[in-house]
Amino acid sequence: MKTNTARERLRAGLPAIGTWLTMPCPITAHLLSKIGFHWLTVEMEHIPYNWETAAQCFANIASGGTVPLARVPWNTGENIKRALDGGAMGVVIPMVNTKAEAEAAVEFTRFHPLGQRSVGGYLHSLNHDTDPAEYFARANDEVLLVVMAEHVKGIANIDDILSVPGIDGVFIGPNDLLNSMGRKPSFHSDAAEFTDAVEHVRVTAKKRGVASGIHVINPDVANHRIAEGFQFLAMGSDAGFMLSNATEAAKTLGLGPKAAAKY
Ligand code: 3PY
Ligand code: MG
């Protein structure tokens, strides 16, 4: 069975870097699967993917040698099961704010004895280059589970949340976190309330033996966060990469920008 190399890197203390797929398109997923990112996350929380398109994206990413992940729409058993049974090798769970929500995420993601994930399907085993029986036996050691810290409530409870066994990583959503502080959503802020929260998550994750991560907007910030000790780095998105290059080209040709490239 194929090793989940993104999870393996995080467990070895190494960075695992990827981007968000926000255009529901298997061809985009296939193209980006060859770039060298460690993982690609199919962004199902805010983008209208259907399950079939998501499954095609997971397959194309896996066949390109990259680890397919899904950010599920919400922390429910149905979402997590369908993403994993559709072939994602891991899940990113939005807005995990309490220990009980973290326990639920583990229960939905892990098979017996760690959780109650139901046994079924076959796309997961195809993406892992194995058969369903081996997948069911080994998935608890391969599937990546990342919970999101993106609300002041989650920051307050982060030590309890990360005490739950079965969680591999915690990923900060800066936009929602700032929003929950009554501040303007953004990928970064110099406000002490924000920088203290980010540092608190990193330090607590390290203490709990969990990899920490954050969504960043460019490679310079990614490198800066890696130097601080963050490991799971999401850099921008497919739409962002496309728009920033297209905007630059249009500007060079003297054309005015109609949309800001900030995705
Ligand atoms: C946020 O910034 O809120 C996110 O969810 C980033 O992925
Ligand atoms: Mg968010």
Side-chain angles (χ1 to χ4, degrees), residues 20 71 148 150 171 173-176 215:
W20 249 218
R71 174 156 79 174
M148 288 197 67
E150 53 177 350
F171 175 65
N175 289 279
D176 272 311
H215 210 142

Side-chain angles (χ1 to χ4, degrees), residues 27-259:
I27 296 172
T28 307
H30 205 190
L31 281 169
L32 286 172
S33 75
K34 310 276 185 172
I35 294 287
F37 286 120
H38 298 117
W39 53 262
L40 291 168
T41 293
V42 172
E43 158 57 320
M44 304 186 77
E45 184 188 5
H46 293 298
I47 300 296
Y49 276 90
N50 62 38
W51 290 107
E52 290 85 351
T53 303
Q56 287 169 12
C57 290
F58 302 144
N60 285 353
I61 295 164
S63 78
T66 299
V67 172
L69 305 176
R71 174 156 79 174
V72 293
W74 201 245
N75 184 13
T76 71
E78 181 180 349
N79 284 324
I80 293 172
K81 176 169 55 185
R82 298 198 80 179
L84 295 175
D85 289 355
M89 295 171 77
V91 279
V92 179
I93 318 286
M95 227 25 110
V96 175
N97 290 337
T98 64
K99 184 175 183 185
E101 288 167 7
E103 286 167 342
V106 171
E107 194 142 306
F108 301 143
T109 303
R110 305 294 180 202
F111 288 125
H112 180 84
L114 297 180
Q116 294 190 27
R117 181 178 161 197
S118 170
V119 170
Y122 52 81
L123 293 177
H124 39 51
S125 19
L126 286 176
N127 287 358
H128 282 83
D129 289 346
T130 188
D131 54 62
E134 189 185 26
Y135 175 80
F136 298 140
R138 293 197 32 205
N140 280 353
D141 294 327
E142 294 294 340
V143 166
L144 179 70
L145 171 56
V146 175
V147 296
M148 288 197 67
E150 53 177 350
H151 194 282
V152 286
K153 280 193 249 167
I155 304 298
N157 292 326
I158 200 67
D159 193 38
D160 279 352
I161 289 170
L162 299 185
S163 73
V164 176
I167 293 173
D168 300 304
V170 56
F171 175 65
I172 298 168
N175 289 279
D176 272 311
L177 180 55
L178 282 163
N179 190 52
S180 77
M181 292 170 171
R183 297 177 183 275
K184 191 166 165 251
S186 171
F187 281 91
H188 187 70
S189 164
D190 288 325
E193 185 184 17
F194 175 78
T195 57
D196 288 354
V198 168
E199 184 60 5
H200 179 53
V201 171
R202 188 189 67 75
V203 169
T204 309
K206 193 172 167 62
K207 183 188 90 180
R208 289 288 183 189
V210 169
S212 57
I214 186 163
H215 210 142
V216 298
I217 203 65
N218 65 45
D220 291 339
V221 186
N223 274 329
H224 176 74
R225 291 301 190 189
I226 290 168
E228 288 179 333
F230 286 96
Q231 292 178 257
F232 185 83
L233 278 304
M235 195 172 49
S237 69
D238 50 1
F241 286 125
M242 183 185 75
L243 281 175
S244 54
N245 266 7
T247 304
E248 208 45 51
K251 232 164 55 186
T252 306
L253 293 169
L255 308 171
K258 293 193 173 72

